[in-house]
């Protein structure tokens, strides 16, 4: 990427949901979910060819509603989850579901990404199951167990964290355990990340200005960084290589790096950006293009993703 | 004439001596020999008529007689005269006769003498022969006595020797007696006289015995002397005599030096222990330690009530309170000087008297004694001085109170001055220079303490300012984040006092700096002995005072100000925004004038000659400006985030789909406008207005729905054309992204308008972002329209470029419309009516 021009991909609709597909080991693939109140929403599957520096895409229909969060199964590259808004006349409800991509999308789309036929008649996703959380409020995100077999997901809905077990075919989901954030006021999880370390027994969540860590075996809080950011914490991520390190970003225009063993002060604070950070992510080997794991390149990678998205959003 | 005649008549000539004498006299008179020399006679003799006078003129006399006298009288005269002539003739005859007789008798005598001499010559010859005979006899006798004489001489020599031997034999006894009488000097003199002889004849047993006896006695004597020397109670004169004698007794000088010094050391160490005792309680002081009586002799003791609570001087308390308890440093140093240093000087002087400056002739050829003795003395003085210095340094280190520097300076001065005495006595000694070093170190330490004191003073002042800012606002106010809608009057009072707080803060800091400078200036006062040392002339002024004190303090001010920006807000320890603003202004004032003023003041007071590079005024100003900028940026950010928070909460907590038709501007918007107004007032108190771009005269009336709705029309009906992802709409959006990009958190300038612009930018951008995360119903959109119009009406006046507000508000309404399920905008006229209703 150093020499090549940045690759820009534009969408017709605004989009806020983006994820990389970790189950796909051959290609560098991103999934983008769009937001449109009036039209059927789409999921764009974007493959990046890093040798030729070109991208190819396919579009799947997501008719259920506008997508606020998307994440792909780490085990099955055809399976993904979305959090989406259902808007009716009187109310807006956010729910989440597990989807399977139709098996044919790949053959058709790959050959000619700009084929109008494909674009005009996009295929729909197959619904596997709803993560039925009507009792728990609006879902904000769904997290797959990192490096898992695609059987366990966590959904964050309002002030609940729900751990789901999926059946073999992912057609049925049952809540195996849950945790609730108690406190005064209307507490609401804004985002979370499932730690890939410690046998995937830890979860970190963000609500308002605080970051909390949870032990999934007991579903109890293990640490809490109060006032991690001056304003709302928007996103966080674990360092894939350092088990105690956590990055967070928020409305105070800062990115902070934390050592969860010592939460009184951040390890490092970045203030280069002059606007909200919406998302932070550490780059993982298979999708890093040519980045290395330094702090700077992480940020650069983020900025690139961010810019791509910004390009889409506006 | 008559008298004379009568006299001659009455006394017969030559009959009695008187008459003879008279005749003699007359003769004499005749020959001009005036024995008596009587003037009367002379006067009379001038008369030519005086018959006895030398000037007698017979003619005149005759004529006179003839004229004056009658014949009878002449006759009488004539007979008288004849009579007198006759008598004179007889006298003359008598005299001649007498002379003749005498001549005859003299001739006889001479003849007789001639005979006598002849006889005498014969006798002399006889005497000569006799004498020759005597000489012969005498020679003969001498020859016979020769042998006996030699024998007598020999005997007399033997006698002397025997007397000497007797002295020797008596020597032990005599020495013993001397010893008894304690006449040591006499004993030593006696012994010295005998020593050589005894040494020479020591091969003879008898002499040997004497020598041994003497040695034994002298040893005893030496011992006694040593004892006396050791006891040391004796006066300096005795002591010196002692040493003199011991030296004469071949006592090793080295040992004597050592003993002398050991003895002196014990006394000096007692002094040192006394000094240390003053220090010791400090070290052993504990929470329940002795209550130090505050009735010390010193009136200088601080007024701290020590009666009940012992003050631990080692505790890092308020440096402006005097922590010293028992004696102040001046007393301590005084005691050290009077006891230790003066004793040391005495010891040095007497030592030098005894060992070093001995008159050469009395010296027993121990050439190396002075060098050896001086060497020992140096070692001795050095070791003791080292201990003394360590004590002094400990005491100085305890001197943490920066209240009164003059005491310390005076103490140091005294300390330094007294060491000059040692320097004079002991020219090569390192002691004075070490003392100077201590003074230098103390001065350095002092500067550090002053810096720390200044820093803590600054922080305390800031705390005071914080309290002053917080106190009137306890009831809740604009920045408190409470739910009050109105700005309480108390808050306004606090804001009004902002400039006063700034000026009082600035003035008190400046005052403090001046006080400290004055205190530090004491170190370089003319009457202080060490002020003319090179360190105090050069490095102390430039490196010490200017750099480490003044410059470091200014840097500290900037740095601590910057720290308010670092993490205070994030970590909960919220700094009041007003404080940020105030500090920003303070730093800016420092940049513009205060720094150069302080540095000029310092340079003038200390006449700093910069040998080493010093921090330039411009560098400091730059730092201050940077701090000011950072603080102001942070202020903007904090205030912006406070308003943002309100807006965000208001957007997030509302159900925008099911909201009712707007009838009012939402309260939060009024609150935003009120807060912005109060911020405007606050900033206006400290910063100038700043420049605005020209704006239309009637901005508030701008019909922003006209263009917004027209733009919205094109925007919120996006053409869904999946075949052309890079359509014109997107291109225009991208274009917009670059052309109209607003740097939300950009640095602000030092004026009110720029600050307010920054705050409003941040707030509105947050509003925009929050809106984009929500879904709106028709009335939700309309409510946003109303709110934006309200903001439009009031916010434009605060910013430098009103188009900025317009643009951001348009964006908000546009985005809301985009997120709206049923985008039916409200009529502009209705919006205006609602907004004007308030």
């Amino acid at each position: 990427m150093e020499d090549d021009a940045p690759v820009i991909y534009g969408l017709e609709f605004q989009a806020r949901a983006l994820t990389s597909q970790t189950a796909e080991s051959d290609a560098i693939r991103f999934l983008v979910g769009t937001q449109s109140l009036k039209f059927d929403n789409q999921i764009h599957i974007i493959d990046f060819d890093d040798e030729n520096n070109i991208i190819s895409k396919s579009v799947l229909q997501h008719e259920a509603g506008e997508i606020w969060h998307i994440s792909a199964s780490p085990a099955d590259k055809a399976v993904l989850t979305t959090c989406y808004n259902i808007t009716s006349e009187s109310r807006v409800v956010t729910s989440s579901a597990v989807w399977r991509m139709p098996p044919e999308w790949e053959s058709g789309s790959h050959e000619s990404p700009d084929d109008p036929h494909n674009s005009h008649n996009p295929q729909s996703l197959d619904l596997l199951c709803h993560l039925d959380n009507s009792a728990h409020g609006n879902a904000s995100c769904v997290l797959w167990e990192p490096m898992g077999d695609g059987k366990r997901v966590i959904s964050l809905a309002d002030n609940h964290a729900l751990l789901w077990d999926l059946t073999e075919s992912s057609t049925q989901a049952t809540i195996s355990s849950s945790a609730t954030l108690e406190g005064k006021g209307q507490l609401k999880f804004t985002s979370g990340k499932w730690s890939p370390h410690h046998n995937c027994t830890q979860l970190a969540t963000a609500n308002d200005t605080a970051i909390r860590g949870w032990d999934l075996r007991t579903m109890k809080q293990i640490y809490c960084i109060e006032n991690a950011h001056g304003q709302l914490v928007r996103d966080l991520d674990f360092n894939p290589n350092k088990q105690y390190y956590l990055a967070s970003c928020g409305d105070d225009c800062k990115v902070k790096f934390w050592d969860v063993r010592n939460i009184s002060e951040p390890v490092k604070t970045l203030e280069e950006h002059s606007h909200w950070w919406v998302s932070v992510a550490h780059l993982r080997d298979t999708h890093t293009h040519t980045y290395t794991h330094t702090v700077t390149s992480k940020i650069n990678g983020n900025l690139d993703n961010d810019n791509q998205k910004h390009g889409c959003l506006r | 004439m008559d008298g004379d005649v009568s006299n001659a008549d009455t006394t017969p000539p030559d009959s009695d001596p008187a008459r003879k004498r008279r005749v003699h006299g007359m003769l004499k008179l005749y020959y001009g020999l005036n024995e008596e020399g009587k003037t009367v006679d002379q006067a009379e003799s001038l008369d030519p008529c005086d018959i006895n006078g030398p000037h007698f003129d017979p003619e005149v006399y005759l004529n006179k007689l003839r004229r004056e006298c009658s014949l009878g009288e002449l006759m009488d005269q004539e007979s008288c005269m004849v009579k007198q002539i006759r008598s004179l003739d007889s006298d003359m005859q008598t005299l001649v006769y007498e002379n003749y007789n005498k001549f005859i008798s003299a001739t006889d005598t001479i003849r007789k003498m001639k005979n006598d001499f002849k006889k005498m010559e014969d006798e002399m010859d006889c005497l000569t022969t006799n004498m020759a005979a005597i000489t012969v006899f005498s020679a003969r006798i001498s020859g016979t006595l020769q042998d006996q004489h030699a024998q007598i001489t020999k005997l007399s020599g033997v006698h002397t020797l025997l007397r000497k031997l007797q002295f020797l034999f008596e020597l032990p006894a005599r020495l013993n007696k001397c010893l008894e009488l304690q006449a040591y000097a006499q004993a030593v003199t006696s012994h010295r006289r005998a020593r050589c002889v005894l040494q020479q004849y020591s091969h003879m047993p008898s002499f040997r015995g004497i020598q041994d006896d003497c040695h034994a006695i002298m040893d005893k004597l030496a011992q006694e002397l040593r004892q006396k020397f050791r006891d040391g109670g004796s006066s300096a004169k005795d002591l010196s005599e002692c040493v003199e004698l011991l030296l004469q007794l071949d006592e090793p000088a080295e040992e004597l030096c050592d003993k002398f010094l050991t003895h002196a050391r014990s006394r000096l160490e007692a002094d040192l222990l006394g000094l240390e005792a003053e220090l010791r309680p400090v070290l052993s002081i504990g929470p329940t330690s002795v209550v130090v009586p505050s009735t010390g002799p010193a009136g200088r003791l601080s007024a701290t009530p020590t009666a009940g609570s012992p003050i631990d001087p080692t505790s890092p308390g308020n440096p402006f309170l005097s922590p010293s308890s028992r004696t102040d440093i001046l007393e301590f140093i005084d005691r050290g000087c009077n006891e230790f240093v003066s004793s040391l000087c005495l010891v040095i002087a007497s030592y030098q008297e005894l060992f070093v400056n001995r008159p050469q002739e009395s010296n027993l050829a121990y050439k190396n004694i002075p060098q050896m003795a001086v060497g020992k003395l140096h070692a001795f003085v050095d070791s003791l001085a080292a201990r003394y210095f360590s004590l002094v340094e400990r005491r100085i280190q305890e001197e943490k109170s920066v209240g009164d520097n003059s005491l310390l300076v005076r103490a140091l001065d005294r300390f330094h001055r007294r060491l000059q005495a040692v320097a004079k006595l002991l020219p090569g000694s390192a002691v004075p220079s070490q003392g100077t070093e201590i003074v230098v170190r103390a001065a350095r330490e002092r500067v550090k303490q002053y810096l720390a004191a200044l820093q803590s003073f600054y922080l305390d002042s800031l705390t005071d300012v914080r309290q002053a800012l917080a106190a009137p606002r306890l009831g809740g106010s604009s920045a408190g984040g409470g739910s009050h809608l109105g700005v309480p009057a108390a808050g306004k009072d606090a804001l009004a006092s902002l400039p006063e707080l700034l000026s009082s803060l600035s003035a008190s800091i400046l005052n403090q700096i001046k006080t400290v400078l004055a205190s530090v200036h004491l170190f370089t006062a003319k009457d202080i002995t060490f002020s003319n040392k090179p360190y105090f002339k050069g490095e102390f002024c430039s490196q010490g005072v200017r750099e480490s004190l003044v410059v470091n303090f200014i840097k500290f001010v900037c740095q601590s100000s910057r720290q308010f920006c670092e993490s205070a807000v994030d970590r909960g320890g919220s700094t009041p925004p007003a404080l940020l603003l105030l500090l920003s202004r303070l730093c800016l004032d420092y940049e513009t004038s205060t720094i150069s003023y302080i540095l000029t003041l310092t340079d003038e007071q200390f006449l700093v000659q910069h040998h080493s590079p010093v921090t330039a005024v411009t560098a400091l100003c730059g730092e201050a400006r940077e701090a000011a900028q950072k603080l102001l940026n942070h202020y903007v950010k904090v205030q912006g985030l406070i308003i943002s928070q309100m807006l965000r909460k208001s957007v997030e907590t509302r159900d925008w789909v099911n909201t009712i038709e707007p009838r009012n501007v939402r309260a939060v918007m009024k609150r935003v406008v009120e807060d912005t107004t109060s911020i405007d007032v606050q900033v206006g108190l400290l910063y100038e207005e700043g420049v605005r771009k020209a704006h239309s005269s009637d901005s508030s009336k701008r019909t922003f729905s006209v263009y917004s709705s027209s733009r919205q029309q094109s925007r919120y009906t996006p053409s869904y054309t999946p075949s052309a992802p890079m359509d014109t709409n997107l291109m225009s959006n991208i274009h917009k992204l670059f052309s109209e990009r607003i740097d939300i958190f950009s640095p602000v300038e030092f004026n009110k308008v720029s600050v307010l612009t920054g705050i409003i930018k941040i707030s509105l951008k947050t509003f925009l972002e929050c809106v984009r995360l929500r879904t709106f119903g028709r009335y939700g959109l309309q409510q946003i329209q109303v709110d934006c119009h309200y903001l439009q009406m009031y916010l434009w006046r605060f910013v430098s470029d009103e188009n900025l507000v317009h643009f951001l508000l348009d964006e908000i309404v546009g985005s809301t419309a985009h997120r709206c399920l049923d985008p039916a905008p409200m009529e502009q006229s209705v919006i205006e009516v609602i907004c004007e209703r308030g």
Side-chain angles (χ1 to χ4, degrees), chain B residues 260-272:
Chain B
F260 185 86
L261 291 181
T262 319
H263 177 65
R265 182 186 291 273
S266 67
R267 270 185 300 167
L268 289 171
E269 273 179 358
D271 288 344
L272 284 177

Side-chain angles (χ1 to χ4, degrees), chain B residues 338-561:
Chain B
N338 292 338
E339 290 179 0
F340 175 78
V341 178
S342 50
S343 316
L344 184 68
C345 287
L346 273 180
V347 166
I348 292 172
S350 58
Y351 181 90
Q352 286 184 328
E353 187 77 14
L354 288 179
F355 298 103
V356 183
N357 301 333
R358 300 174 59 79
Q360 285 305 311
E361 66 270 20
S362 80
N363 202 323
L364 307 173
Y366 299 120
K367 284 275 183 194
N368 56 347
I369 282 186
Q371 287 97 310
M372 184 274 303
V374 166
K376 277 189 184 304
L377 182 64
H378 274 287
F380 169 78
V381 170
D382 284 352
S383 76
L384 280 173
R387 282 189 54 187
Y388 174 61
F389 287 158
S390 81
L391 287 177
V392 169
E393 272 201 289
R394 258 167 64 189
R395 184 65 186 86
I396 290 173
Q397 276 162 16
E398 277 171 29
E399 203 60 21
K400 292 211 166 58
S401 145
V402 288
D404 184 10
N405 195 38
S406 64
L407 209 60
L408 177 74
V409 172
R410 262 161 58 206
L412 286 176
D413 178 41
R414 200 156 301 178
F415 169 75
H416 189 261
R417 205 186 291 272
R418 291 301 286 263
L419 284 181
Q420 301 313 307
V422 179
K424 267 184 205 125
L425 281 171
L426 211 58
S429 172
V431 169
S433 64
Q434 281 170 359
T436 310
E437 268 170 41
I438 286 181
V439 172
V440 166
R441 271 205 294 278
R444 275 207 193 102
E445 195 55 40
R446 203 65 177 162
V447 167
K448 272 189 209 152
Q449 284 171 0
Y450 271 117
L451 177 62
L454 270 182
Q455 289 176 350
S456 73
F457 175 81
Y458 175 68
L459 292 180
D460 288 350
S461 313
L462 283 193
T463 314
D464 289 349
V465 169
R466 278 176 97 131
Q467 276 166 359
L469 285 174
R473 308 206 302 179
L474 286 175
S477 81
S478 56
S483 57
H484 295 250
L485 296 182
V487 179
K492 279 190 171 154
D493 286 348
L495 296 182
S497 65
L498 215 53
E500 287 147 40
L501 275 175
L502 175 67
S503 64
S504 75
L505 173 68
S506 165
S508 68
I509 291 173
L510 203 57
N511 259 341
Q512 196 65 26
I513 288 178
K514 280 181 185 167
T515 316
V516 164
L517 279 182
S519 295
V520 172
H521 196 251
L522 290 175
F523 278 109
T524 58
K526 285 268 188 304
D527 55 337
I528 302 294
T529 46
F530 53 76
S531 67
N532 58 358
K533 296 276 173 198
Y535 170 77
F536 282 98
K537 279 194 161 167
E539 201 193 337
F540 178 75
C541 293
S542 68
Q543 289 304 311
V545 175
R546 190 184 193 275
E547 290 297 297
S548 22
L549 189 65
V550 178
V551 171
N552 270 359
F553 176 66
I554 293 169
K555 278 183 178 166
F556 172 79
V557 169
C558 297
Q559 211 171 341
S560 71
S561 304

Side-chain angles (χ1 to χ4, degrees), chain B residues 43-81:
Chain B
E44 281 172 358
S45 66
L46 283 175
D47 187 1
C49 300
D50 182 6
I51 198 160
N52 294 325
H55 299 284
F56 177 69
D57 190 344
E59 280 303 314
V60 176
Y61 184 70
L62 260 183
N63 288 340
K64 191 184 167 195
L65 282 181
R66 256 183 261 153
R67 259 193 327 261
E68 291 173 5
C69 302
S70 56
L71 189 59
E73 281 170 347
L74 279 174
M75 288 298 283
D76 291 344
Q77 194 82 25
E78 197 246 327
S79 66
C80 176
M81 205 100 95

Side-chain angles (χ1 to χ4, degrees), chain A residues 220-238:
Chain A
K220 289 274 182 346
Q221 181 178 312
I222 46 178
Y223 56 83
C224 176
I225 308 173
E226 295 282 0
N227 289 316
H229 285 263
Q231 304 277 302
L232 189 74
V233 180
R234 290 274 165 194
D235 196 14
L236 46 90
D237 192 23
F238 285 94

